[in-house]
Amino acid sequence: MHNKWYKDVVVYQIWARSFCDGNGDGIGDLYGVYDKLDYIKSLGVDMIWFSPIYPTPNCDYGYDISDYRNINPEFGDLEIFKKVLDGAHERGMKVIMDLVVNHTSTEHEWFKQSKKSDDNPYHDYYFWRKGRGKNGKNPPNNWLSMFEGGAWEYNEDLAEYYLHVFAVGQPDLNMDNPKVREEVKGILKFWLDMGVDGFREDVITFISKKEGLPNGFPLPVATGYKNYVNGPHTYEYLKEFKDDVLSKYDCFVVGESPMVNMQRALQYTTEGDGQVLQMMFSFDHMCADCFMIDYIPTPFSLRKMKKAFSNWQNTINGTGWNSLYIENHDHARIISRYGSEKYRTESGKTLAAMYMLQQGTPYIYQGQEIGMTNTHFNSIDECLDVATHNAYNIFRKFRFSEKFTMDKINKGTREHARTPVQWDDSENAGFSSGTPWFKVNENYKQINVADQENDENSLLNFYRKLIAFRKDNAVLMREGSYNELMKSSKKFYVYERILGDEKLLVVANFSEKPCTFKAPDGYDLSKGELVLYNYSDNKLENNSYTTRPYELRVYKF
Ligand code: NOJ
């Protein structure tokens, strides 16, 4: 019997600070989430993933944790968290937490202890090293951080540097220290015993650093990354977490895995004793409109996107398991990237069906279901995110103009994903009765939940239909093969899902201009049932049709 429930769920991601403010202080919180549980359930999703909701000084908005066993007071406390957890469970939804253990906050007690002296028991929880050169004033190696200049920060009292692969306020934990791994297991147990259903593990492919921390090839950012991405003990440590804790619970773990390749993903997610994660987040398909990172834009390439999706579908199929997503808190809004703001609803529906009908577990990021789009930042002062400031500083350091730099920031910043959710057309988009902590997108009067609730053809209601379709066709979605057709097309993304006699043909058009779609060999479209679409009046002529902008048709046979 199939009991891998994680294969049938749809996950909704909440970045709580911008979701809904329940107590009127301008910051989204768990009271707001509690109020919206029925809304979340109404989408048809089965699971909520909370981006970090623990105490934090917010240098990376929660991804710098100062206490792993509590709730950020800006969001509430353990009592309201338990109410949310119970409320979700009562509605048949599971809840997973973000586990951020590549690093802590510098405000975490372990770090405070660790910097007291080099014989403090917590000193070896982190990577403290003497500097190089005369008087030890040069950092221990040439690594650059992802978020804030050099990867080493000097501590005068200790006359040592600590490693931070991300921001200065995010010191890396030394996972080679068995005591640190015991701490991680304790954290896992703490939340699982409270009743949470699993974890999304932040940058889990970074947790093991190469011995000796050797220099890396010089780059403008992240020099040295090859010495900690997919490091030597990553699998071993994940296996330990699984064997000692996770395997004892009916839980679910998805690993965020920048720069992971498919072979490694297979090693981690293939079912059986060796499986250490249920699935991973890959990044390849998120680079179809940029070069390596979001701040170096290139024209959107449908072929690049299709190739990335198909590679993962074809390789993971039948052995491991894919996670499917097109938005999260780290990327600009997808309609503004891969779709069209002009044809927002149409392209939003096409994008939704395109990724959610593949094999894997789909994730939806807050606001994606109503087609929230990018906003505009007039100056870097309007941005609060450490990574965005870092990108800005690097461009400026290389003497790019203010205008050029802000253009790149506006293209790539993850701040677009962090504007408050647009609930209705009242002041502050119904997000808060106070002053929102971050700017509300000006288009909230046109794009909001309340409006779309009242419109049968809205994107919001399309997501509901799509999720319901997945449920009604659970076996086909789970087990059906994936086969891409018309691979070289620059206008269509076409694939089929087949299981026995059942067949689904997904035809997603990515062009504003009319194109002719001719049914692939062996298909008689007039015999299929049109199950999902984004225009009415879907005619066929000689087994073909002329598309309207971003037209979607999904036929079932
Ligand atoms: C990945 C998270 O998704 C991102 O938001 C965060 O800034 C980094 N990891 C560092 O924790």
Side-chain angles (χ1 to χ4, degrees), residues 60 63 103 147 166 200 202-203 256 329-330 414 418:
D60 185 15
Y63 283 90
H103 43 266
F147 281 180
F166 290 94
R200 174 264 190 191
D202 188 62
V203 286
E256 192 218 15
H329 63 293
D330 284 335
R414 58 185 185 172
R418 298 173 177 200

Side-chain angles (χ1 to χ4, degrees), residues 23 28-31 53 70-81:
N23 66 2
D29 51 37
L30 290 174
Y31 308 101
I53 49 175
N70 217 329
I71 295 295
N72 180 352
E74 290 177 310
F75 297 165
D77 51 22
L78 279 169
E79 198 183 322
I80 178 68
F81 175 72

Side-chain angles (χ1 to χ4, degrees), residues 13 49-54 63 65 96-100 198-202 329:
Q13 182 193 351
W49 149 29
F50 280 111
S51 273
I53 49 175
Y54 316 97
Y63 283 90
I65 297 171
I96 63 169
M97 301 293 270
D98 219 304
L99 180 82
V100 188
F199 301 91
R200 174 264 190 191
E201 298 188 339
D202 188 62
H329 63 293

Side-chain angles (χ1 to χ4, degrees), residues 338-370:
Y338 293 6
S340 155
E341 291 182 4
K342 182 170 167 204
Y343 297 103
R344 179 171 46 80
T345 306
E346 294 81 358
S347 66
K349 290 177 182 177
T350 297
L351 285 161
M354 171 283 290
Y355 87 100
M356 281 185 60
L357 295 175
Q358 297 185 25
Q359 188 184 52
T361 298
Y363 293 73
I364 299 170
Y365 178 64
Q366 63 186 36
Q368 177 187 331
E369 75 276 20
I370 54 164

Side-chain angles (χ1 to χ4, degrees), residues 435-454:
T435 306
W437 74 279
F438 196 42
K439 74 187 252 176
V440 174
N441 193 320
E442 282 166 11
N443 62 18
Y444 71 92
K445 287 199 191 288
Q446 291 79 49
I447 306 175
N448 62 64
V449 173
D451 258 15
Q452 297 194 23
E453 287 286 7
N454 297 326

Side-chain angles (χ1 to χ4, degrees), residues 190-201:
F190 176 82
W191 292 103
L192 289 167
D193 287 340
M194 195 183 293
V196 313
D197 304 284
F199 301 91
R200 174 264 190 191
E201 298 188 339

Side-chain angles (χ1 to χ4, degrees), residues 123-124 126-131 140 152 159-162 174 213:
H123 193 67
D124 199 28
Y126 297 88
F127 292 93
W128 287 101
R129 295 287 184 277
K130 293 283 176 212
W152 295 93
E160 284 182 3
Y161 288 83
Y162 70 84
N174 173 13
L213 311 178

Side-chain angles (χ1 to χ4, degrees), residues 312-508:
W312 281 83
Q313 287 290 301
N314 294 332
T315 311
I316 303 294
N317 186 343
T319 4
W321 193 248
N322 269 304
S323 50
L324 308 169
Y325 76 98
I326 50 175
E327 283 199 11
N328 62 32
H329 63 293
D330 284 335
H331 298 282
R333 293 287 183 176
I334 202 69
I335 288 178
S336 306
R337 295 183 61 184
Y338 293 6
S340 155
E341 291 182 4
K342 182 170 167 204
Y343 297 103
R344 179 171 46 80
T345 306
E346 294 81 358
S347 66
K349 290 177 182 177
T350 297
L351 285 161
M354 171 283 290
Y355 87 100
M356 281 185 60
L357 295 175
Q358 297 185 25
Q359 188 184 52
T361 298
Y363 293 73
I364 299 170
Y365 178 64
Q366 63 186 36
Q368 177 187 331
E369 75 276 20
I370 54 164
M372 282 179 64
T373 58
N374 286 355
T375 180
H376 185 80
F377 297 99
N378 297 306
S379 106
I380 190 66
D381 299 336
E382 286 179 22
C383 298
L384 302 173
D385 165 40
V386 62
T388 304
H389 278 264
N390 192 45
Y392 176 88
N393 292 337
I394 293 172
F395 277 116
R396 295 298 277 148
K397 186 171 133 202
F398 284 95
R399 300 196 175 280
F400 288 103
S401 71
E402 175 70 16
K403 175 162 182 333
F404 178 93
T405 303
M406 281 314 293
D407 279 355
K408 304 297 164 247
I409 296 295
N410 270 303
K411 268 273 179 222
T413 177
R414 58 185 185 172
E415 295 282 46
H416 292 301
R418 298 173 177 200
T419 61
V421 169
Q422 296 160 205
W423 293 103
D424 58 39
D425 65 1
S426 68
E427 206 184 352
N428 304 328
F431 161 72
S432 171
S433 55
T435 306
W437 74 279
F438 196 42
K439 74 187 252 176
V440 174
N441 193 320
E442 282 166 11
N443 62 18
Y444 71 92
K445 287 199 191 288
Q446 291 79 49
I447 306 175
N448 62 64
V449 173
D451 258 15
Q452 297 194 23
E453 287 286 7
N454 297 326
D455 173 3
E456 202 201 323
N457 292 319
S458 64
L459 182 57
L460 173 61
N461 281 319
F462 182 83
Y463 266 98
R464 291 182 171 131
K465 283 177 206 150
L466 182 57
I467 295 168
F469 178 82
R470 276 189 63 96
K471 296 269 136 88
D472 293 345
N473 294 273
V475 186
L476 173 63
M477 287 293 104
R478 192 172 63 230
E479 323 265 321
S481 64
Y482 165 95
N483 183 27
E484 190 193 340
L485 307 168
M486 298 173 64
K487 286 188 190 161
S488 59
S489 171
K490 292 182 177 165
K491 297 186 173 132
F492 289 99
Y493 184 10
V494 184
Y495 61 86
E496 55 188 7
R497 302 285 317 271
I498 304 179
L499 184 70
D501 294 342
E502 272 188 299
K503 230 182 209 184
L504 199 69
L505 180 70
V506 179
V507 186

